[in-house]
């Protein structure tokens, strides 16, 4: 294993591997550091991703990793990157086991961590019957009884989308109260608004039989959509001094159209750098970052 690279990519899922592939094909020495803790590890299948519909996220990543490993200038290490710093125009990345690697550029594809509301029964069903994205999972629960657990005003958007997949109930949870215009939109879409708070998810895990409300009633629901709060899965962007923007679910790393962060030589792609969480978006962002990094090695010093 070498210690000096052109580029270090931290994160080996859809965004990171896409970035690394561009760099390996440009015959640059690229190291991918991956802790094997992708955000989508709780989902059994990935949907809506061109040419990969229905495959498990793990199978997609394993296949892409094997393809990348065939390029002689690419190396992959399974470990967690703990610290990073810039020294004399180069970037050091140190792993939890103490190994340190250096590169001229770094791509942060470190992802985010989801925080769900503190409600009994949510976490153990996450990715199966407790879901986030209707475009990723809506088809699989179509024509069933769907619920939206409000976490903020953006839950209105989720509730207005979901009737295309099935009958929908919006549980406001005291986090959101529709105004007159919003209520009219919900009525037009046939969304039922329930203001008594959900206190428990019922049924045999991973399935949902219903939701127990604070007033004692039980509402029959088969799948529940929730907008989680997101947190950076890694502190590397903060360590390197990257600036952040406030996204609808949490902070995201600030990048320009070429995925360059506010720190010269540091690029970011994937869920850590966008509020639009989607496998296709992540892969496309990784391609953009990989090409931009390669060009930066040639045209800027």
């Amino acid at each position: 294993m070498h210690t000096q690279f052109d580029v270090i990519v931290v994160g080996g899922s859809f965004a990171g591997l896409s970035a690394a592939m561009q760099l390996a094909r440009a015959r640059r020495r690229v190291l991918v550091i991956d802790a094997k803790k992708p955000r989508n590890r709780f989902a059994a299948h990935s949907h809506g991703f061109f040419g990969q519909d229905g495959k498990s996220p793990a199978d997609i990543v394993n296949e892409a990793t094997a393809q990348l490993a065939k390029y002689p200038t690419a190396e992959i290490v399974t470990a967690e990157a703990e610290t990073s710093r810039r020294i004399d125009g180069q970037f050091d990345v140190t792993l939890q086991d103490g190994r340190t690697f250096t590169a001229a550029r770094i791509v942060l594809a470190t992802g985010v961590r989801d925080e769900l509301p503190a409600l009994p029964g949510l976490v153990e069903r996450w990715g199966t019957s407790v879901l986030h994205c209707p475009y990723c999972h809506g088809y699989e629960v179509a024509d069933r009884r769907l619920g939206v657990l409000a976490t903020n005003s953006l839950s209105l958007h989720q509730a207005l989308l979901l009737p295309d997949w099935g009958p929908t109930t919006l549980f406001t949870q005291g986090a959101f109260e529709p105004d007159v215009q919003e209520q009219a939109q919900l009525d037009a879409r046939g969304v039922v608004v329930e203001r008594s708070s959900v206190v428990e998810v019922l049924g045999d895990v991973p399935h949902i039989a219903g939701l127990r409300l604070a007033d004692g009633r039980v509402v029959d629901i088969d799948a529940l959509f929730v907008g989680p709060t997101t947190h950076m899965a890694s502190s590397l962007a903060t360590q390197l001094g990257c600036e952040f923007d406030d996204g609808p679910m949490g902070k995201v790393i600030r990048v320009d159209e070429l995925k360059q962060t506010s720190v010269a030589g540091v690029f970011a792609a994937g869920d850590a750098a966008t509020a639009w969480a989607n496998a296709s978006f992540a892969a496309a962002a990784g391609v953009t970052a990989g090409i931009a990094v390669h060009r930066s090695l040639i045209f800027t010093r």
Side-chain angles (χ1 to χ4, degrees):
M1 172 71 72
H2 301 286
T3 58
Q4 176 69 46
F5 294 87
D6 292 316
V7 185
I8 293 175
V9 178
V10 185
S13 190
F14 292 70
L17 290 173
S18 295
M21 180 67 77
Q22 306 307 311
L23 292 158
R25 289 185 55 77
R27 303 197 297 178
R28 291 289 181 163
R29 293 187 53 202
V30 56
L31 172 68
V32 176
I33 301 170
D34 185 32
K36 298 295 183 184
K37 295 178 182 178
R39 182 186 189 187
N40 59 15
R41 64 188 181 276
F42 302 102
H45 302 95
S46 178
H47 293 286
F49 189 21
F50 182 73
Q52 303 292 327
D53 188 65
K55 287 187 178 181
S56 75
D59 284 348
I60 296 172
V61 167
N62 288 341
E63 182 178 355
T65 301
Q67 291 171 354
L68 177 65
K70 293 178 181 179
Y71 287 87
T73 59
E75 297 188 38
I76 303 162
V77 60
T78 301
E80 187 152 349
E82 190 167 70
T83 61
S84 183
R85 59 180 181 167
R86 184 172 186 171
I87 302 176
D88 297 328
Q90 297 281 306
F91 296 95
D92 282 351
V93 178
T94 300
L95 309 184
Q96 282 188 334
D97 62 14
R99 286 179 290 170
T100 297
F101 303 97
T102 303
R105 301 286 188 273
I106 187 167
V107 177
L108 300 175
T110 45
V112 297
R113 173 177 58 83
D114 293 307
E115 179 187 358
L116 296 174
L119 181 66
L122 280 188
V123 172
E124 53 267 43
R125 293 174 171 85
W126 182 236
T128 304
S129 55
V130 175
L131 307 162
H132 171 48
C133 173
Y135 297 104
C136 301
H137 303 288
Y139 190 87
E140 283 61 48
V141 295
D143 299 322
R144 303 174 72 182
R145 297 162 298 189
L146 309 179
V148 174
L149 190 74
T151 54
N152 55 48
S153 60
L154 288 176
S155 298
L156 171 70
H157 180 76
Q158 212 171 28
L160 290 172
L161 287 175
L162 274 173
D164 277 6
W165 287 274
T168 302
T169 300
L170 170 63
F171 299 88
T172 63
Q173 294 299 99
F176 165 71
E177 179 60 33
D179 61 24
V180 174
Q181 182 178 358
E182 291 165 340
Q183 184 63 58
Q185 291 178 304
L186 292 164
D187 292 341
R189 292 287 282 159
V191 177
V192 175
V193 178
E194 177 57 69
R195 291 173 173 82
S196 182
S197 294
V198 178
V199 296
E200 186 181 6
V201 182
L202 305 174
D204 296 329
V205 176
H207 305 292
I208 297 177
L211 305 177
R212 190 184 307 281
L213 305 184
D215 62 12
R217 289 180 293 133
V218 172
V219 178
D220 294 332
I221 289 291
D222 299 303
L224 185 63
F225 286 78
V226 182
T229 300
T230 60
H231 305 276
M232 289 290 116
S234 166
S235 65
L236 294 189
T238 299
Q239 293 176 31
L240 290 165
C242 297
E243 295 180 2
F244 294 84
D245 290 322
D246 291 323
M249 299 298 179
K251 292 186 180 299
V252 295
I253 302 170
R254 181 178 298 167
V255 294
D256 65 15
E257 67 277 5
L258 295 179
K259 309 309 173 186
Q260 167 72 59
T261 72
S262 59
V263 177
V266 179
F267 295 73
D271 290 1
T274 181
W276 294 89
N278 178 285
S280 300
F281 291 152
V287 171
T288 301
I291 292 171
V293 168
H294 178 243
R295 291 173 64 86
S296 79
L297 290 167
I298 298 170
F299 296 114
T300 60
R301 294 291 178 184

